[in-house]
């Protein structure tokens, strides 16, 4: 799921092509008609579907439609790669403990929007990115993986964001693999108990 340029989506697709991540991308859902992720998906031959949140009566109606599309495409995990909408219990219940998000800060610091700007304004010396399980409270779910990025004295929002995004592209595929393997192990343990 994406709302913007899709650079994390493309990084994940590249990790799959290279064999770093044993997965497949069955469908990209995007909510912004101008999102560049649709162009990236078309170039890579991956199905993409616009689900403009403005055309739905509620967040739950949107999430019901998203869950239905993912189930139709036999999706096991949802990866939120720049999805700029809050999800509801409807989607969380349809994919329990199978939705991951990436966030441009070292959570729990600077959750929500404008995280890079928040870090700069706070005067911290290190920020970074976090991959976490999605829960109802924004950016609050258990953390799977993080990467630290130093804040340089002359950093702007743009320069810092670019360096954070480089780390996002590295850790997101690794975090997906880790979360999937941990979930598979937990499921196997439950079955054998």
């Amino acid at each position: 799921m994406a709302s913007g340029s899709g650079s994390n989506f493309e990084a994940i697709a590249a990790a799959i092509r290279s064999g770093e991540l044993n997965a497949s991308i069955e469908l990209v859902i995007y909510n912004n008609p101008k999102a560049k992720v649709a162009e990236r998906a078309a170039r890579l031959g991956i199905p993409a579907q616009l689900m403009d949140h403005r055309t739905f009566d509620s967040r739950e109606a949107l999430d019901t439609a998203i869950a239905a599309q993912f189930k139709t495409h036999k999706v096991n995990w949802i990866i939120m790669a720049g999805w700029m909408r809050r999800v509801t219990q409807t989607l969380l219940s349809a994919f329990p403990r199978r939705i991951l998000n990436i966030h441009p800060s070292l959570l729990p610091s600077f959750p929500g929007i404008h995280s890079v700007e928040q870090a700069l304004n706070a005067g911290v010396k290190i920020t970074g990115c976090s991959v976490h399980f999605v829960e109802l409270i924004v950016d609050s779910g258990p953390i799977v993986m993080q990467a630290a990025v130093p804040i340089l004295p002359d950093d702007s929002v743009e320069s810092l964001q670019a360096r954070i995004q480089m780390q996002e592209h590295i850790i997101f595929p690794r975090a997906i693999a880790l979360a999937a393997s941990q979930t598979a192990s937990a499921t196997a343990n439950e079955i054998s108990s």
Side-chain angles (χ1 to χ4, degrees):
M1 295 169 58
S3 298
S5 74
S7 68
N8 274 305
F9 153 71
E10 190 155 357
I12 293 165
I16 292 168
R17 280 193 316 274
S18 74
E20 176 189 343
L21 178 60
N22 182 13
S24 63
I25 301 172
E26 299 301 317
L27 176 66
V28 174
I29 290 179
Y30 61 104
N31 67 315
N32 176 359
K34 296 178 181 177
K36 299 291 185 198
V37 70
E39 295 170 18
R40 290 180 193 252
R43 182 171 37 80
L44 296 172
I46 297 172
Q49 181 173 350
L50 172 63
M51 298 192 85
D52 188 338
H53 60 277
R54 291 165 285 239
T55 65
F56 289 85
D57 293 336
S58 66
R59 290 181 190 273
E60 289 78 11
L62 172 63
D63 284 356
T64 297
I66 289 170
Q69 282 302 312
F70 281 140
K71 288 185 182 235
T72 297
H73 285 82
K74 299 182 177 17
V75 167
N76 292 316
W77 283 82
I78 295 176
I79 308 303
M80 294 172 55
W83 181 254
M84 300 304 291
R85 304 289 304 163
R86 288 183 178 197
V87 299
T88 66
Q89 192 59 50
T90 301
L91 190 60
L92 294 173
S93 295
F95 291 87
R97 296 280 297 169
R98 292 191 182 267
I99 304 175
L100 293 177
N101 183 46
I102 192 147
H103 181 74
S105 80
L106 292 175
L107 293 172
S109 297
F110 313 119
I113 61 172
H114 308 298
S115 299
V116 176
E117 187 176 332
Q118 289 181 56
L120 285 171
N121 290 342
V124 298
K125 301 299 179 194
I126 296 174
T127 189
C129 52
S130 306
V131 177
H132 64 93
F133 284 95
V134 175
E135 294 187 350
L136 277 180
I137 297 171
V138 172
D139 300 325
S140 68
I143 294 167
V144 178
M145 189 174 288
Q146 293 180 305
V149 176
I151 297 178
L152 305 177
D154 61 345
D155 260 331
S156 64
V157 170
E158 295 77 20
S159 65
L160 182 55
Q161 178 62 49
R163 289 200 327 284
I164 291 171
Q165 197 167 62
M166 288 171 49
Q167 293 303 311
E168 289 177 354
H169 295 169
I170 293 168
I171 71 165
F172 212 173
R174 293 176 185 171
I176 293 166
L178 180 62
S181 69
Q182 288 175 341
T183 300
S185 294
T187 301
N189 287 340
E190 288 173 12
I191 291 170
S192 66
S193 296

